[in-house]
Amino acid sequence: MKVTVDQDKCIAAGHCVMHAAAVFDQRDEDGVVVLLDESPPAELADDVRQAASVCPAMAIHVEE
Ligand code: SF4
């Protein structure tokens, strides 16, 4: 799995962090998403897919 984020689209809603805190973080200053792991392990794949599906800005892209 390969994950990318578009920080220009991100509206700092934070849903991604709630679903996969090992993969996503938010910048302290404005809450914009920070990608911690662009190749998360298989056991996090469901959480990452969930995070991408709930992102209101569709700023998370997942390649299987
Ligand atoms: S869920 Fe989407 S909009 Fe919200 S912080 Fe994460 S990437 Fe940004």
Side-chain angles (χ1 to χ4, degrees), residues 5-7 9-19 24-26 31-34 51-52 54-60:
V5 296
D6 185 340
Q7 290 182 318
K9 280 188 184 170
C10 176
I11 57 167
H15 301 301
C16 53
V17 179
M18 279 187 269
H19 282 88
F24 304 104
D25 198 358
Q26 289 178 273
V32 167
V33 66
V34 175
V54 299
C55 174
M58 298 200 300
I60 300 169

Side-chain angles (χ1 to χ4, degrees), residues 18-41:
M18 279 187 269
H19 282 88
V23 178
F24 304 104
D25 198 358
Q26 289 178 273
R27 287 198 304 228
D28 287 340
E29 59 270 33
D30 56 10
V32 167
V33 66
V34 175
L35 184 61
L36 301 176
D37 187 351
E38 66 181 27
S39 303

